[in-house]
Amino acid sequence: MIDTKKVGRPRKFDRDDALLAAVNVFWAKGYDGASMKDLTQAMGINGPSLYSTFGDKHNLYLQAIDRYSQNDACAPLVAFESEPDIHLAVRAFMVAAIDYATRHESGARGCFLSSCVATTAGELEGVESLLAQAIEETDERLAKRFELEKESGRLPPDFPSMERARLMFDLRQGFVFRARAGLDAKVMKSELDQRVETVLS
């Protein structure tokens, strides 16, 4: 018996690459400014493929936020968690934040979450909760490293881990804001010793 069922076409694009391309479009043009034509061209897919894989523009935006939060936004965290010395780890976090904000491969400056996503929180359903989740997860990962340092005796027992974690996040956003304004990365890096001491004092 001949099987007359049609075999589905294999997807001809990489989903993660397509989402990254969408991130870059939204980042450069904002949610309202990014047209479906902009998105499909950048993602290398046609309209029907976009809708069948990601849903409408709103759903694509939410998935782009999640993709960025789980991958690109983690670069400073990875630098922080990978350096054994806590002083160097805090510095590495800040250096990575500055480098990422000023030398992103897409040419965009700043941070997708603060430059684009934050402006749509409260306006588009689901965005605010994703943004809050990204911030909370970052705070928790930073605080966890400080707690480990306290357990090993390299930080005092009364070191306020969550408070300093939030300070680090806020400093990072300050670097992002300066990068968005086109301020020099070298100048920002020249002042890191004081920032590190502020976090760890």
Side-chain angles (χ1 to χ4, degrees), residues 138-153:
T138 300
D139 288 344
E140 288 169 3
R141 283 179 65 174
L142 292 169
K144 181 179 179 181
R145 171 66 190 276
F146 289 137
E147 286 298 303
L148 292 173
E149 294 295 321
K150 287 164 66 174
E151 291 172 9
S152 66

Side-chain angles (χ1 to χ4, degrees), residues 97-136:
I98 293 169
D99 286 344
Y100 189 84
T102 57
R103 299 191 316 205
H104 192 269
E105 59 186 16
S106 71
R109 291 187 302 197
C111 166
F112 178 52
L113 296 181
S114 59
S115 301
C116 176
V117 177
T119 65
T120 57
E123 297 181 4
L124 294 174
E125 184 179 352
V127 173
E128 187 172 341
S129 61
L130 282 176
L131 186 59
Q133 179 181 334
I135 294 170
E136 289 171 5

